[in-house]
Amino acid sequence: MSAGSVALVVPEDIGFPSWDLYELSIPCTVFGKPQPDLADPWYDLRLCGAGGGPGDGSPAETGLSLRTRHGLDDLAGADTVIVPSVPDACVEEGRPLPRELITALRRAHEAGARMVSLCTGAFALAEAGLLDGRRATAHWMHTAQLAARYPKVEVDDSVLYVDDGDVLTSAGLTAGLDLCLHLVRRDLGAHVANQLARRMVVPAHRPGGQAQFIDLSVPTTDDRSLAPVLDWARTRLDRPLTVDDLARRAAMSTRTLHRRLQAATGTTPLQWILNQRLARAQSLLESTDLPIEKVGELSGLGTANNLRHHFLKHFGVSPSTYRRAFPRTTTPEPSPSTAGNSPG
């Protein structure tokens, strides 16, 4: 599949803390650096200057200035448009976003561009009316304001990102990276996304439905002790696997396992197992021609009907529909029990 062109909306004057450079840098890192051994051509990243300052039209008093080769008119020619954030003043004080930006976003969407926001960039998409009647998210600190200001938007403050097909939104900071890797996964397949994540030394895939806020009030100094048992579990997803099995393998009580896993991942052990099986099923559907029944078996989700139930519930599409979005191969992946670690 083609990577296509990505237009990133950037301010020409960046003030601190009005603009978050982290969200601005994520798309540049993911889409801007060619990876010819993974996909050639790679994405064509264009920085499109938005003009203005940190929300009031004046140059930033502190910060830096950017000069871009592309302007907002170039958004309409891109396959994907990303709004990394908006000035703090537009979120906290309700100052209006530049009308030229809102107009450019509408034109880009009308021209068929996939629209993406990271963190408070959702306010720009909402102002353009692109989130009306859609489920969307932003950083949990700003979702209440987003919901109050744009009542037509179905705001979900509990997820990392929302993929609504041609419009995608994410929470802040690292969740923006999760969404960008999700886009690579959609465009170029699981193998490319996994290899890119490995180079960036980040998790290859965190499901969008994972909780934004993880309560770390429980001490996690010995969380590293969970890694071996979780790695062990990933190699046997095709077998019966219970919380008791994980607890025995970790040499701890089920109550202790539950507490530590909840603190480390924000999910219960049962939900963690389900998430891993869903991720395994996604990978098999993306990279093999295995029958749906076999995918259900190897992922541990059971029958084809059970696999369809979980896909419809978590992703909103059937396994067959999901598979059609990715290129096929003819070589099936090994089952979890034969890949990597030996049974033990």
Side-chain angles (χ1 to χ4, degrees), residues 20-94:
D20 195 318
L21 286 177
Y22 183 76
E23 270 103 9
L24 189 63
S25 68
I26 289 171
C28 294
T29 302
V30 173
F31 304 111
K33 182 179 180 181
Q35 307 284 347
D37 57 322
L38 297 182
D40 193 14
W42 192 247
Y43 293 89
D44 174 22
L45 178 66
R46 307 168 187 173
L47 304 184
C48 299
D56 59 0
S58 62
E61 294 182 2
T62 59
L64 55 91
S65 295
L66 299 176
R67 296 181 62 185
T68 63
R69 295 175 56 188
H70 303 279
L72 292 177
D73 289 342
D74 294 303
L75 296 183
D79 298 305
T80 300
V81 172
I82 300 178
V83 185
S85 64
V86 299
D88 289 346
C90 298
V91 177
E92 303 295 340
E93 303 171 22

Side-chain angles (χ1 to χ4, degrees), residues 269-291:
L270 281 177
Q271 186 62 49
W272 182 88
I273 293 172
L274 177 58
N275 287 345
Q276 297 304 307
R277 285 177 164 156
L278 286 168
R280 177 64 180 173
Q282 285 181 296
S283 180
L284 289 169
L285 290 169
E286 294 167 11
S287 59
T288 78
D289 280 324
L290 291 172

Side-chain angles (χ1 to χ4, degrees), residues 52-179:
D56 59 0
S58 62
E61 294 182 2
T62 59
L64 55 91
S65 295
L66 299 176
R67 296 181 62 185
T68 63
R69 295 175 56 188
H70 303 279
L72 292 177
D73 289 342
D74 294 303
L75 296 183
D79 298 305
T80 300
V81 172
I82 300 178
V83 185
S85 64
V86 299
D88 289 346
C90 298
V91 177
E92 303 295 340
E93 303 171 22
R95 295 190 188 182
L97 288 159
R99 296 314 305 171
E100 58 270 22
L101 170 61
I102 303 306
T103 299
L105 292 175
R106 289 173 179 155
R107 288 175 177 168
H109 185 250
E110 291 169 357
R114 178 174 60 184
M115 309 301 291
V116 179
S117 68
L118 311 183
C119 195
T120 57
F123 283 78
L125 297 190
E127 182 66 24
L130 304 184
L131 299 182
D132 288 357
R134 295 179 184 262
R135 180 166 161 262
T137 194
H139 193 290
W140 62 269
M141 292 180 66
H142 305 299
T143 47
Q145 293 161 309
L146 181 65
R149 198 170 303 170
Y150 304 101
K152 293 183 180 180
V153 182
E154 183 185 341
V155 179
D156 188 342
D157 63 358
S158 65
V159 296
L160 295 177
Y161 56 85
V162 174
D163 182 343
D164 197 32
D166 61 335
V167 178
L168 302 92
T169 55
S170 83
L173 300 173
T174 307
L177 177 56
D178 292 321
L179 178 53

